Amino acid sequence: MGLDFTAIDFETANGFRGSPCSVGLTKVRGGKVVEEASWLMRPPAGYDHFDYHNVRIHGITAADVAQAPRFGELFPEIGAFIGEDVLAAHNAAFDLGVIRSALEVSGLPGPAYHYVCTVMLSRRCYSLVSNSLPFAAEEAGVPLVNHHDAAEDARACAGILVDIAARNGANSLAELYLSLGLAMPRQQAFDPATGDLSKPSLAAIAGASGNGAALVQRFQSGWPEEGVNPEPNLDAEPGHPLYAQTVVFTGQLSIDRPEAKRRSARCGARTESRVTGRTTVLVVGDGFVASDLRSGRLTGKARRVLELHERGQAIEVLSEGEFLQMVGGGDIRHAPQVAAAETRDAACAAAVSA
């Protein structure tokens, strides 16, 4: 078997991951791009409002998709394009979550997928201060001109995976994962008649019905309260991007830091209140984006991270959006505060969507 897979990227209309408004797919055979497809779509009914922040990132409006089929109508074509392929995505938990949540709120079944995450592989195989798509694509030598165009982002993801396989001398994804000592993750099939809904879908449904407490609210106090550092959940999924990481937060977040720390700990991360030699991930608020790493618009903690990275410490900067993609974003009513689409543009790795 050669290096065969399909790369996928979704853009979402709002902070709920089950609100896809566009998708890009790139099919690779033997390490070469052989076919591409992309669609605009209306998100599932009831979850199809467009938040300002998402529109600002990807430029897609409600008017642009007004005549497009809904996700549920289009998914058979998307599924047919994917076929039996392994899916590749940059922050795959988000893009696979888009499929799962959008199917759930549409009341439709979905197949199982093996998948690979180029954020995780980038962390293993590159040495970048940010593993956001623009940085990883630059390292892989893949042009990324129009970031947040789903077709271009899927193509860049494919290029990153091909480059990482080449650097590891792997001729297939199976060889790549074997060489890295990893097991390929799998998203299970979903049957709406018998399957349990995912947490993002449950939160969105509760929010849409007015019965759920807000999961994302603008945090207004002056100096952020650090709160306690909870013990990491040792039973969390080892394949999660934050599992066994040591996470520090800086800048104003749209959720308070104690809540951010609780979500991190649930995913198996250890949180701390200052940057040290143990820090592996810094999450930056204040609307931070990847380009800020080069422009110098950084907090003191972020500057410290850059210094440590230059000295060889394995440490990564994430935007708040990318972080929320990893730990679960906001509900249907409060997601405008945190753009799902902002995630991949902010210095990584979450989304709430790219």
Side-chain angles (χ1 to χ4, degrees):
M1 182 182 295
L3 189 61
D4 302 342
F5 61 90
T6 292
I8 190 168
D9 181 85
F10 282 101
E11 302 296 329
T12 57
N14 55 66
F16 172 44
R17 64 178 57 177
S19 66
C21 59
S22 73
V23 65
L25 300 115
T26 297
K27 189 173 290 291
V28 173
R29 290 291 180 267
K32 304 292 185 183
V33 174
V34 297
E35 189 177 0
E36 294 182 311
S38 62
W39 290 276
L40 291 175
M41 69 191 77
R42 282 185 295 160
Y47 305 90
D48 52 1
H49 75 276
F50 278 71
D51 289 345
Y52 164 78
H53 294 290
N54 293 63
V55 173
R56 179 175 59 85
I57 294 297
H58 53 56
I60 302 168
T61 67
D64 293 328
V65 302
Q67 304 303 315
R70 289 205 184 271
F71 169 84
E73 300 172 272
L74 193 57
F75 186 72
E77 290 186 66
I78 297 172
F81 186 95
I82 298 168
E84 300 296 319
D85 278 4
V86 173
L87 281 175
H90 205 70
N91 195 357
F94 173 76
D95 293 283
L96 271 293
V98 170
I99 294 175
R100 176 66 182 262
S101 288
L103 288 171
E104 288 175 341
V105 297
S106 300
L108 297 173
Y113 290 111
H114 281 99
Y115 65 91
V116 300
C117 177
T118 50
V119 168
M120 297 292 292
L121 294 174
S122 173
R123 283 179 170 178
R124 287 233 174 195
C125 302
Y126 299 152
S127 180
L128 305 174
V129 70
S130 167
N131 289 292
S132 63
L133 189 62
F135 276 69
E138 180 181 340
E139 178 69 16
V142 181
L144 182 57
V145 178
N146 190 18
H147 185 29
H148 293 300
D149 175 277
E152 288 206 30
D153 284 1
R155 190 181 308 125
C157 172
I160 292 166
L161 184 50
V162 169
D163 178 67
I164 288 174
R167 293 189 187 203
N168 285 273
N171 295 313
S172 69
L173 293 182
E175 284 187 20
L176 175 61
Y177 268 66
L178 183 64
S179 70
L180 296 175
L182 298 173
M184 189 176 297
R186 175 181 173 88
Q187 177 163 284
Q188 298 301 318
F190 171 71
D191 183 343
T194 59
D196 294 329
L197 296 180
S198 62
K199 290 181 180 179
S201 294
L202 289 171
I205 292 168
S209 66
N211 296 324
L215 297 182
V216 176
Q217 297 177 339
R218 178 56 58 188
F219 182 54
Q220 297 290 359
S221 68
W223 190 262
E225 175 195 355
E226 287 288 343
V228 300
N229 291 304
E231 288 298 313
N233 173 20
L234 300 181
D235 294 325
E237 171 55 51
H240 191 279
L242 295 180
Y243 186 84
Q245 302 296 318
T246 300
V247 182
V248 175
F249 298 89
T250 186
Q252 195 77 290
L253 306 177
S254 60
I255 57 176
D256 60 37
R257 287 192 189 174
E259 174 61 19
K261 289 183 175 184
R262 284 191 291 272
R263 295 193 193 188
S264 301
R266 284 199 297 266
C267 298
R270 182 173 299 281
T271 63
E272 295 186 339
S273 299
R274 63 188 182 91
V275 174
T276 69
R278 296 184 296 272
T279 307
T280 58
V281 173
L282 179 71
V283 178
V284 184
D286 295 324
F288 177 78
V289 295
S291 59
D292 291 336
L293 288 170
R294 295 187 173 114
S295 70
R297 190 178 76 86
L298 301 171
T299 66
K301 285 182 180 177
R303 290 191 184 92
R304 173 67 173 152
V305 163
L306 292 180
E307 292 171 3
L308 292 172
H309 189 269
E310 288 296 320
R311 295 177 189 174
Q313 181 170 334
I315 191 167
E316 178 184 2
V317 179
L318 305 186
S319 71
E320 181 187 4
E322 287 165 318
F323 168 74
L324 287 173
Q325 273 193 347
M326 294 176 178
V327 302
D331 73 12
I332 197 80
R333 296 166 298 162
H334 296 272
Q337 320 296 4
V338 184
E342 178 184 11
T343 60
R344 296 192 190 108
D345 194 52
C348 209
V352 185
S353 161

